[in-house]
Amino acid sequence: MHNHVSPESPTPLPRPSLPRALPKVQRFDALRSNTTKVQSGKAGRSVTKEMGHTSSGNEVPLKYSSGKAFPLGVSQVDDGLNFAIFSQHASSVTLCLKLPDRGTQDDVDIVEFALDRQKNKTGDIWHVSVEGLPAFGVLYGYRINGPQGWQQGHRFDDSVILLDPYAKLVSGRKHFAVEREKPSQLFGTYDFDSSPFDWGDNYRLPNLPETDLVVYEMNVRAFTADESSGLGPAIRGSYLGVIDKIPHLLELGVNAVELLPVFEFDELELKRFPNPRDHMVNTWGYSTINFFAPMSRYASAGGGPVAASKELKQMVKAFHNAGIEVILDVVYNHTNEADDANPYVTSFRGIDNKVYYMLDFNNNAQLLNFSGCGNTLNCNHPFVKELVLDSLRHWVKEYHIDGFRFDLASVLCRGPDGSPLDAPPLIKDIAKDSVLSRCKIIAEPWDCGGLYLVGRFPNWDRWAEWNGKYRDDIRRFIKGDPGMKGVFATRVSGSADLYQVNNRKPYHSVNFIIAHDGFTLCDLVSYNSKHNDANGEGGRDGCNDNYSWNCGIEGETSDLNVLSLRSRQMKNFHVALMISQVYITDHSYLLRVAEYNLRVTLYTIGIHDHNSGGDIYLAFNAHEYFVDAVIPPPPQHKSWSRVVDTNLESPKDIVPEGVPFTGSGYRIAPYSSILLKAKP
């Protein structure tokens, strides 16, 4: 289960002294109008209704016509803008428009138009075309009603203005975690006025081979939000703020970033009602509101959704110009709309709950919860599957995204009743899609319902996986668990036991030791058990099997021996991860030698790559005492240089150019590792 929140303090601003006034609404029935006229078109005669609610200036009155079913969302048509939304079970749909800076009769804030089932509906798509709307700045949503049978899976409520699932931009609060803006209504919006984004004449996609990826997982806002970033207040925590730190990432050797969710989410969702976590801010974003719109509050200076879209593209362009790919961590397993006990109705639930979510019809049609977050998206329903595919294509075509890491991807392998599927349609379609063919597709191959698919995720030889077994086995070996030498060898050499199937390759294993979930690297060597006291969940969140070791003292300490050991262990983890980037192919071989003393104390690896002529010797001492390792002679006409000894203090511990080494033995300190490289 994800730890989706952080104890970040929201910006303390005073609340308004008066309650927020309800917007004034002007409603029009589809069968009533002040003026009608007949228009001819390719589809035959259509009746356009002109609503006489404007009052001054040269404003064009809004005119409504039947519209068309596709594309979904908002699109430009010859005579205006077309709005189309799917709802299989709705009995009525009303389009709600909020016009920018427009004087209307009786100071109307929202204009509503009820769609006609006969004229504004094709199959399960409701649609209408509106003439006279500005090409920029209009906010829109829908009121939708339908059957009230809870046991049949319906949750319709037309008192709520709902967000269009296909909205490409979402308008809400302007600033991140500003409580004064908390009641803000979410609307879809659009921008058909701006020029297309200029990617540049010399712009190229990096198109890096999967074998070469060094991925840096990061949260856009948290990366630069603190004043220690050295950035001005207006761009801290923004897409533009990240651009300033690209030189730092290049210095680290990173060639791909994996961004925690950048789809629109509500960071103040935990403050909707009193609860043990209502002091928290959702800073990670694993609570999707809309699958097409970039997080608007990552725009600089509270710039809003249009600015967020442009600045995200600027960030991607800057990464690509630096040779760094951009992978998005995407959450298609659930939404922000929570559970049936405390629902947060913003979109899908009110549009067609029975279609969008997995339901337990043996239990009063309650929402099934394989995500650990209250609901589970019904991803293999034909329409929901197309929604996910359309979303992914949008991010690739509009934002030039290079790949996706699918959060709790085992959910995407379940049918409508939650049963696991051998060949999930969505997973197959993602693997076979032509637009997505250039993208990295990476599964987190488990979910909160126990569907653990590491090494056997349905893949069509395309899907890579977060290798959870690699994480666990490397942790156990480095902390000195007995009997781990064989599995350690398997993990650092490509996990052939998991991925040497059909045409799968070692690079289909995405190796990692820590990530956003669970312990940080420092936690991993400082705690034997969880201490998540600040988040209000009483230690119930996260996994209990972390294979951590506190190195002798639980938590913070000033003991220099313990601190030194923790430092060595963190470096050992890093060395293990970096050597795992070496893959067994037809031009290299891997020699593994294990040495024993009551249990495994030393693990050595020799690597020779025929292409580069490189030779490497590595040794890990996972015991509490020194071990004298016998060093083999270097290849002919070469000599050994020490590149890594994690027992040494910085900067002597890691010397990229190497320090000349002679001799036939090396005394390896407890819980440390060495790396020697043969050089001419």
Side-chain angles (χ1 to χ4, degrees):
M1 183 174 181
H2 288 293
N3 306 328
H4 286 170
V5 293
S6 74
E8 178 177 346
S9 298
T11 307
L13 292 178
R15 294 179 180 275
S17 56
L18 295 176
R20 195 162 160 259
L22 293 175
K24 296 180 180 178
V25 177
Q26 188 170 25
R27 294 185 173 89
F28 296 96
D29 185 88
L31 300 179
R32 294 170 44 245
S33 67
N34 294 345
T35 307
T36 61
K37 63 179 180 181
V38 176
Q39 293 185 334
S40 61
K42 293 181 180 178
R45 299 174 67 228
S46 65
V47 176
T48 299
K49 297 171 177 57
E50 179 179 309
M51 301 307 175
H53 59 269
T54 61
S55 61
S56 62
N58 297 320
E59 296 164 353
V60 178
L62 300 183
K63 302 174 183 177
Y64 301 79
S65 58
S66 58
K68 59 181 183 178
F70 292 98
L72 292 164
V74 185
S75 58
Q76 286 184 302
V77 290
D78 291 340
D79 55 351
L81 296 176
N82 190 78
F83 296 80
I85 188 170
F86 167 93
S87 181
Q88 179 181 342
H89 297 102
S91 60
S92 68
V93 174
T94 299
L95 174 65
C96 306
L97 300 170
K98 191 170 185 179
L99 310 179
D101 303 323
R102 183 163 180 166
T104 57
Q105 286 182 355
D106 301 321
D107 193 27
V108 170
D109 290 323
I110 296 177
V111 177
E112 298 189 351
F113 179 78
L115 277 62
D116 186 298
R117 292 179 63 92
Q118 304 302 317
K119 299 182 177 65
N120 300 110
K121 188 170 184 284
T122 303
D124 295 325
I125 310 295
W126 300 73
H127 46 82
V128 63
S129 179
V130 185
E131 183 179 351
L133 286 174
F136 172 91
V138 172
L139 308 182
Y140 77 99
Y142 294 92
R143 297 188 191 274
I144 297 181
N145 211 344
Q148 299 301 305
W150 183 286
Q151 293 183 339
Q152 285 71 50
H154 302 303
R155 306 290 190 270
F156 291 107
D157 180 358
D158 64 356
S159 70
V160 180
I161 296 180
L162 301 167
L163 184 63
D164 178 6
Y166 272 79
K168 305 306 186 294
L169 300 171
V170 172
S171 177
R173 293 186 304 273
K174 296 292 186 182
H175 301 91
F176 194 91
V178 175
E179 284 205 79
R180 186 178 66 183
E181 300 180 3
K182 185 168 62 174
S184 178
Q185 166 73 47
L186 295 169
F187 286 98
T189 189
Y190 56 80
D191 176 19
F192 296 116
D193 192 47
S194 299
S195 300
F197 182 77
D198 181 10
W199 291 95
D201 294 335
N202 298 318
Y203 169 81
R204 297 288 184 274
L205 296 170
N207 284 326
L208 301 176
E210 287 180 277
T211 55
D212 296 338
L213 290 186
V214 180
V215 182
Y216 187 96
E217 187 187 55
M218 59 180 290
N219 176 278
V220 167
R221 182 175 184 278
F223 198 56
T224 66
D226 191 79
E227 63 180 11
S228 63
S229 65
L231 303 179
I235 66 168
R236 289 179 200 154
S238 70
Y239 300 116
L240 296 185
V242 173
I243 296 175
D244 192 76
K245 302 303 177 183
I246 289 177
H248 168 67
L249 297 174
L250 290 172
E251 186 179 11
L252 293 178
V254 169
N255 61 17
V257 292
E258 185 175 292
L259 305 180
L260 269 64
V262 296
F263 295 4
E264 184 74 21
F265 67 95
D266 180 7
E267 70 278 11
L268 297 181
E269 63 182 1
L270 295 170
K271 299 179 180 297
R272 296 182 295 117
F273 57 91
N275 68 88
R277 300 195 300 164
D278 60 12
H279 63 295
M280 307 290 286
V281 169
N282 183 342
T283 193
W284 281 1
Y286 289 85
S287 195
T288 308
I289 283 177
N290 175 280
F291 297 115
F292 292 83
M295 177 57 172
S296 59
R297 288 172 295 287
Y298 287 170
S300 62
V306 175
S309 176
K310 292 177 181 177
E311 292 175 10
L312 173 57
K313 292 173 186 176
Q314 288 178 257
M315 184 190 73
V316 173
K317 179 181 176 179
F319 272 129
H320 285 176
N321 287 340
I324 297 176
E325 292 197 334
V326 179
I327 298 169
L328 299 186
D329 193 340
V330 291
V331 186
Y332 292 107
N333 60 80
H334 75 283
T335 76
N336 68 295
E337 293 191 301
D339 55 19
D340 280 324
N342 296 290
Y344 183 20
V345 182
T346 57
S347 182
F348 311 95
R349 180 182 174 96
I351 293 171
D352 206 328
N353 185 77
K354 192 173 183 178
V355 167
Y356 280 112
Y357 294 112
M358 295 184 192
L359 305 176
D360 184 357
F361 287 100
N362 295 318
N363 184 26
N364 201 31
Q366 293 288 312
L367 294 166
L368 290 169
N369 184 17
F370 298 109
S371 67
C373 298
N375 64 68
T376 311
L377 202 68
N378 190 12
C379 292
N380 285 297
H381 180 283
F383 177 79
V384 184
K385 175 174 70 75
E386 288 306 313
L387 170 81
V388 174
L389 289 167
D390 286 343
S391 165
L392 293 169
R393 295 176 191 127
H394 174 71
W395 289 98
V396 172
K397 292 190 289 187
E398 185 72 16
Y399 294 96
H400 294 195
I401 297 303
D402 301 289
F404 303 92
R405 178 265 188 191
F406 292 78
D407 181 69
L408 297 183
S410 290
V411 164
L412 281 57
C413 300
R414 295 181 182 270
D417 64 352
S419 300
L421 304 174
D422 292 332
L426 175 60
I427 300 299
K428 179 180 180 179
D429 286 358
I430 291 172
K432 301 292 185 180
D433 190 84
S434 59
V435 173
L436 305 178
S437 62
R438 72 166 183 82
C439 295
K440 282 76 178 176
I441 50 175
I442 305 166
E444 183 184 32
W446 52 82
D447 64 19
C448 292
L451 188 56
Y452 190 77
L453 296 175
V454 172
R456 54 192 183 92
F457 190 86
N459 58 81
W460 286 270
D461 296 327
R462 273 277 284 134
W463 282 83
E465 302 174 15
W466 266 28
N467 189 344
K469 291 185 177 180
Y470 174 96
R471 172 199 61 203
D472 296 344
D473 292 339
I474 299 299
R475 288 182 178 190
R476 294 186 63 194
F477 175 83
I478 294 297
K479 79 184 184 75
D481 282 3
M484 294 303 297
K485 70 171 182 67
V487 72
F488 179 79
T490 299
R491 294 293 164 253
V492 299
S493 59
S495 295
D497 61 326
L498 301 175
Y499 300 106
Q500 198 170 8
V501 179
N502 299 327
N503 289 320
R504 301 198 87 184
K505 305 296 182 186
Y507 56 75
H508 287 127
S509 167
V510 177
N511 300 323
F512 70 106
I513 293 166
I514 58 98
H516 64 277
D517 273 335
F519 286 13
T520 65
L521 187 58
C522 185
D523 292 339
L524 193 61
V525 299
S526 303
Y527 297 96
N528 286 346
S529 59
K530 295 181 301 184
H531 296 271
N532 301 336
D533 300 324
N535 64 10
E537 295 198 17
R540 295 184 302 275
D541 60 320
C543 180
N544 292 318
D545 300 321
N546 290 291
Y547 303 112
S548 60
W549 178 42
N550 64 18
C551 298
I553 296 177
E554 187 77 353
E556 296 182 7
T557 181
S558 58
D559 187 300
L560 295 181
N561 290 328
V562 171
L563 293 175
S564 177
L565 176 55
R566 289 176 178 177
S567 176
R568 292 202 304 277
Q569 288 291 75
M570 287 191 284
K571 288 186 283 187
N572 292 336
F573 280 122
H574 191 71
V575 171
L577 181 62
M578 290 299 104
I579 66 151
S580 300
Q581 302 301 313
V582 179
Y583 301 96
I584 304 175
T585 66
D586 58 0
H587 61 262
S588 68
Y589 64 86
L590 191 65
L591 173 65
R592 299 188 291 269
V593 182
E595 299 181 10
Y596 293 79
N597 194 341
L598 302 173
R599 51 181 282 194
V600 173
T601 59
L602 185 67
Y603 182 77
T604 62
I605 305 174
I607 301 167
H608 177 74
D609 190 321
H610 295 294
N611 279 0
S612 67
D615 294 89
I616 294 174
Y617 174 90
L618 299 117
F620 291 83
N621 180 7
H623 216 296
E624 64 270 13
Y625 51 75
F626 282 87
V627 172
D628 293 314
V630 177
I631 306 298
Q636 192 173 12
H637 307 304
K638 293 184 177 181
S639 59
W640 291 118
S641 288
R642 187 195 75 234
V643 178
V644 174
D645 184 341
T646 60
N647 184 53
L648 300 177
E649 296 295 322
S650 179
K652 295 180 180 179
D653 53 350
I654 302 174
V655 183
E657 64 274 15
V659 176
F661 169 81
T662 58
S664 59
Y666 200 108
R667 190 166 176 78
I668 305 176
Y671 296 108
S672 67
S673 54
I674 66 169
L675 185 154
L676 307 180
K677 181 175 176 59
K679 301 179 71 173

